[in-house]
Amino acid sequence: MIGNDWAFEMDAKGRITYISPSFEIHTGRTIEEFSKTAEDGGPRVQPSAHWDDAKQAMREHRPYRDRVVTFECQDGTLLHVRGNADPIFDEQGRLLGYRGASRNVTAEVKAQQKQSRTQALLDRLVQTSPDALCVARRDGAILLANPRFLALAGLPEDEVLGRSPAELGLATAAESRRLEEALRQGGLVQGFRTQLRGSDGAMRDISIAAAPFEWDGQPVAVFTMRDITEAERARLTADAILDNASVGIALVRQSCFERVNPQFERIFGLQIGSLSGRSTAVMFAEPAEHATFAARAQQSHEAGRPIDIEREVPRPDGRVIRV
């Protein structure tokens, strides 16, 4: 039988009376085991809508088609079977039983279940994400938007779907094109900085991550938007404090200057902006002197103590200062 793995027969009460030998090849289970279905020591049929349909058809002496039935074996293994069956009648029209054919669809069912679990997880992550998230076509039309995106837009879902961020007044057409170009060139966008107009009319600093994919046969992209307005404000405040501080401040990571304020470089007579990214060794005349300082600093950091060192440093203009 094309499309089926084995044949079976049941009596008028639905008890299995015959299973073809190919059953064992296609399932890895024994005919002896499944001949005891619904009996002590045999497999149990798990309740399902498909099984209810099949039972109803048999009660009414009708055929059933394409029903998936799940058997729980004695060792706990689940066997998913898709089958058809037709009633058999004698010459007087009395029901003798059923004859049918089935196919092992366990792998297919497990794949569908895994996909459903993955989809449910993704849906949950999208709906509960603290970031605004949407899926849009290449022309910008939004196909999906999570609650955070709807809150950002200040509009219900039916007024958001099918429209672009520019049409919603969230972004300018120029910024939309800039993001589209970044996505087209790189295929993946991370940390794209822009501004969006929130539902309150205020401009919000936004960091966007985007990635293209195919959805129902059409090219789309998923966009994750994180509101960094407060973080950006804090950064600007910190920049202002550092830039205008009367003392020299430098942030060092792995023996390199990561952040240096103008006053630090003024103290040492250096050009503003010349130290960022350079090794701290440039502040020492001899490598050995730098190595000694770095070792002492490392010991203090590991012990959680500040380091307080006074030293004389020559400036480029010939002056020697004590810091």
Side-chain angles (χ1 to χ4, degrees), residues 222-239:
V222 58
F223 300 88
T224 301
M225 288 149 276
R226 176 161 297 177
D227 189 338
I228 57 170
T229 304
E230 297 305 321
E232 186 67 10
R233 184 176 295 128
R235 185 187 69 80
L236 292 174
T237 300
D239 285 349

Side-chain angles (χ1 to χ4, degrees), residues 151-154 168-171 194-206 227 229-230 233:
L152 178 66
L168 294 170
L170 294 174
T194 187
Q195 286 191 320
L196 297 181
R197 187 179 301 279
S199 57
D200 58 359
M203 298 303 294
R204 312 294 296 178
D205 292 301
I206 302 291
D227 189 338
T229 304
E230 297 305 321
R233 184 176 295 128

